[in-house]
Amino acid sequence: RRQRRQRRPRWWKVKRRSDGILWYVVGKSRSGKSAFVNYILKLYKRVLILDPKADFARRPDYIRCDTKQQLFQAISENFTGNAKIAYTEYSREALDYFSKMAFAWLKAAPCAIITDEIGGITTAAQAVGGWAKLLMQGLGYGAHIYALVQRGQDGDKTMRANRTFSHICAHEPEEVDYCAKAMGIPAAEVPIMPEKEGKPFGFLQVRSGRIIQRGTLDIVGKKDHQRVRYRTAGKGQRVLKVAANGCLI
C-alpha cells in the first residue's frame, strides 16, 4: 500500500516577522539627533516616543501623555491601529512603565519606539526591568528602536551590545576619544561641532565598527518653512534619502 505523505507541522507555514532594528543615536546637544529622528519618522505610522522635553508632545498629530494613566489609555484606544504617542514623564520608573507598554503595543503590530535622553535614566551596567525586555526581545517582534544619548559612553551595556546601527552626530573635541572607543572607529572619523554657527554638522552611520555612510546635515528653506537635508561628504555632494531601515542612502 502506498504510504501517505507526512504532513508538515503547522508552524511551517507561519509567516515570520521581519527582524527589528536598534539604532544607537549619539551626539552633543543641538548636534542633529532630533533632526535625524524627524527625518526618519516619515517611515512610520505607529510611533511611541519617550519625550521628556515634549518636543513631539506639543505637535497636533501626537497624543500627549503626561501620566502613566494617560499612556495606558492611549495605548488601549489605539492598540492595533495607527497612532503617534508621546510620553513626557522622565525617571527610571517611567522608563520601566513606558518599556512595558511599548512591548505590549509592539506585540499587537510593529512600531517605532524612540527614547530621548535615555542615558540619564538607565544604568551604566546591564539594562533592567521592562527596558531590558524591550531591548532583548523587542527586535524579534519587528521593533525599530531609536535610543538617543549625548555621549558614546552613555547608556547601558545591553543597549550598546544589541545595537544594529549607530548614527553619530557632532561631538566636542574632548569627547572624541570616548566616542571612537565605544563605536570601534578611528578618533579622526568622529565629527566635531562646527566653530561657527550656521555651518553644516557632520555625521556618520556605523555598523559593527564599519562606516557605512558619512556626510553633512544642514537646514534649508525660509525661516517659517525650514527642512533638514542630508548630503554625502566631499565633492559632488549628493542629497541622501532614508531607507526603510533608517539608513541614509
Side-chain angles (χ1 to χ4, degrees):
R1 181 181 293 182
R2 194 174 178 181
Q3 291 185 344
R4 293 183 63 184
R5 186 175 179 180
Q6 187 175 6
R7 289 187 178 182
R8 287 173 175 169
R10 288 188 177 184
W11 55 261
W12 185 272
K13 294 184 178 180
V14 172
K15 187 177 180 181
R16 191 175 168 225
R17 287 179 183 261
S18 59
D19 289 334
I21 298 166
L22 173 56
W23 276 94
Y24 190 59
V25 184
V26 55
K28 187 180 182 295
S29 181
R30 312 292 297 175
S31 65
K33 299 190 302 295
S34 295
F36 175 63
V37 170
N38 278 296
Y39 205 63
I40 57 90
L41 277 176
K42 54 190 169 186
L43 298 172
Y44 307 106
K45 295 181 179 179
R46 284 169 57 89
V47 180
L48 180 59
I49 302 180
L50 183 64
D51 186 23
K53 295 178 287 189
D55 290 336
F56 297 92
R58 288 191 287 263
R59 299 181 184 181
D61 55 334
Y62 278 78
I63 302 171
R64 177 169 184 155
C65 302
D66 296 319
T67 65
K68 296 179 179 64
Q69 291 78 12
Q70 290 175 345
L71 178 61
F72 180 83
Q73 182 178 354
I75 293 290
S76 300
E77 292 177 353
N78 301 276
F79 194 63
T80 58
N82 296 330
K84 295 181 178 180
I85 303 170
Y87 178 52
T88 60
E89 280 196 302
Y90 188 68
S91 66
R92 289 189 178 179
E93 183 185 357
L95 173 63
D96 183 65
Y97 188 79
F98 170 88
S99 301
K100 290 174 179 176
M101 290 291 98
F103 191 73
W105 203 43
L106 172 63
K107 290 176 74 174
C111 61
I113 301 165
I114 299 161
T115 56
D116 194 10
E117 302 294 354
I118 189 68
I121 52 174
T122 186
T123 65
Q126 299 290 339
V128 296
W131 177 236
K133 184 176 181 179
L134 181 62
L135 290 174
M136 292 188 287
Q137 300 181 27
L139 302 188
Y141 288 91
H144 284 200
I145 302 173
Y146 295 81
L148 281 63
V149 299
Q150 291 199 10
R151 303 183 302 164
Q153 66 270 37
D154 283 350
D156 52 73
K157 293 180 180 178
T158 309
M159 182 168 56
R160 294 196 296 269
N162 285 279
R163 67 179 182 250
T164 314
F165 300 102
S166 298
H167 183 90
I168 305 172
C169 302
H171 284 63
E172 293 293 352
E174 60 269 21
E175 298 288 344
V176 165
D177 289 336
Y178 291 108
C179 179
K181 185 177 180 181
M183 300 298 162
I185 59 175
E189 297 283 4
V190 178
I192 304 294
M193 287 291 288
E195 295 181 2
K196 295 183 180 180
E197 190 175 347
K199 291 286 186 180
F201 293 102
F203 77 90
L204 296 175
Q205 291 196 328
V206 177
R207 181 168 192 175
S208 302
R210 181 174 61 89
I211 297 172
I212 58 175
Q213 188 60 271
R214 59 164 59 84
T216 58
L217 155 69
D218 52 14
I219 308 298
V220 296
K222 296 181 180 180
K223 188 173 182 180
D224 295 334
H225 298 88
Q226 291 182 334
R227 60 186 177 85
V228 171
R229 181 175 63 184
Y230 284 97
R231 297 183 295 175
T232 54
K235 295 182 179 180
Q237 292 184 325
R238 175 174 56 84
V239 176
L240 295 167
K241 297 180 181 180
V242 62
N245 60 0
C247 290
L248 297 172
I249 57 173

